[in-house]
Amino acid sequence: MLLWFVPLPAFAQQARVALVVGNGAYEKVSELPNPTRDAADIGRALERLDFKVTQVKNATAQEMRKAIVEFGRSAEGADLAVVFYAGHGMEIGGENWLIPIGAELRSDTDIESEAISLRSVSLQVSKARKLGLVILDACRNNPFAAKMKRSISTRAVMRGLAPTEPSDNVLIAYAARDGTTASDGDGRNSPFTASLLRHIETPGLEISFLFRRVRDDVMATTKREQQPFVYGSLSKEEIYLRAPAASAPAPVAPAPASTAATPAPANPAEDEKFWLAIQTSTVAGLYEEFLVRYPRSSHVEEARQRIKNFKANEVAALASPAAPSKPETTGRQGPDAKAVVRNLFGPEDNQKVVAIASAQQLKLPSFAISPDQNDPLNANSRFVGVWSNKRGWSNGKGRYTMLIITEVSATGLARGYYLWGPPTKQSWMKDAAGFRSFAEYIENDKFSINGTPVTVKMDKNVLVLSSFKKENPSETANIDLRPVWQLVPVPDDAPPSNKRGKAAQSHAVKKESSTESRAPADAGGASMEERYRACKKLVKGFSKRESCARTGVI
């Protein structure tokens, strides 16, 4: 059975949101070494737990307020909303405050204009449907308190933070209970954050027990000098940051043998499977892909004829003066700005992916690629796409492979699926076709898929996959994957990545003289400029486009 791409509702793609703030580079007091590292590590852990994470580093008061307000908007309708803060915090007159890096705090009356109240953070996370969670590693010894001028002598500036009473669906976790201070630690992370990182990704660990484990760890590490504390109460519903591992399905009993043996149906050839998947499509690109993959198929002539018909109709439609131009780019465009192209994953792209997966006997997962135009692109956005090859590992000796990368975060966390087909005689592993989800960080245009010994590297516009044999690490295998669909495509005039890329490109665009497509006569009245614009969408290369515009031949 083929699994088709189904767009998820907007709220389902942001069911978990998090804001992570690390303030260490204080301007008026000594710097704190750990908060920025603590925040970065917690941010990555939350990303692996399917949170959409916003990270803020060494923030001013204005930057913190803006981030908290914007986070509150994203928390509306989310299941879980988490704020993690590492840095200085303090209590004044029973109210708790988080301290931005530019704060001077000469007087206690400056606190409202120079700091951020914990109450405002709690209000924003309370917008989540199931749980709003605030985690504060902010109970360090506070250098601001000693030099702060009191406007009222009875207005206390206490050590640590004050106790708090959050609303029904909010938990607030302190690194050290009210009135006490927390250690910044001597390692990469504070004792509190180090323990949190140790347990936060444990499958099946309910949120209450997560913080119980953190409490015990920190008390043991600090010889009971620091006791983490959680404020708030929840209902009986269990809440997990990582759900319990699913139990293995029961094996299916084999069907009883029939008394009359019937011959097994013939397994259709790979090209037939592909053809069955695309034969009702009106997208010329699918038939072009078919010709590239199966040049000796019995359906070659039919595919060529369909391409001829579709493109002739396209030229006629695009060359018409009344036809509206199709937007090709997104983002702001200035007179000299270079356009940033952003593709949407449409039904025809999905049909192409399904056809390839069917032909190569791949088990296709149900996946979604966000169409959010406001989601900013980053340097690693070019990894997002569906990547495939018409031959298996080791130049066709091994099994087929497909890589689906659905998103890459601003911090370089790539999420997606690694698919493998049925084994061949020369496959190292003999397991059945399947797929594995992954969440891995891209560094220097490269990442590794844990659990499957595969390294992925971007070489221009080719994903080069390599692996090694566990029994003999010196024995390696490789495969090059090219985009079936790509979020940020390479421009038409970009050079191919290598000789093989040039050969593939040449083969893909090769047109035999017998299959030339001529524009219909009713497009002949269009101007040369309009015909060139129409041909530009269908033909690569200036000379070919000009010839198309002059003669109407593609």
Side-chain angles (χ1 to χ4, degrees), residues 110-140:
D110 298 337
I111 193 73
E112 293 192 17
S113 58
E114 293 189 21
I116 309 299
S117 71
L118 175 58
R119 175 171 43 83
S120 67
V121 178
S122 179
L123 286 172
Q124 298 294 359
V125 299
S126 69
K127 297 176 182 178
R129 288 196 297 263
K130 292 177 65 175
L131 173 67
L133 175 62
V134 182
I135 305 173
L136 300 178
D137 198 350
C139 310
R140 298 161 171 85

Side-chain angles (χ1 to χ4, degrees), residues 50-70:
D50 296 325
F51 281 83
K52 184 172 183 179
V53 178
T54 300
Q55 296 218 16
V56 179
K57 177 181 177 182
N58 293 325
T60 64
Q62 182 179 359
E63 290 168 341
M64 286 184 69
R65 289 192 184 96
K66 180 181 178 182
I68 290 167
V69 170
E70 291 178 350

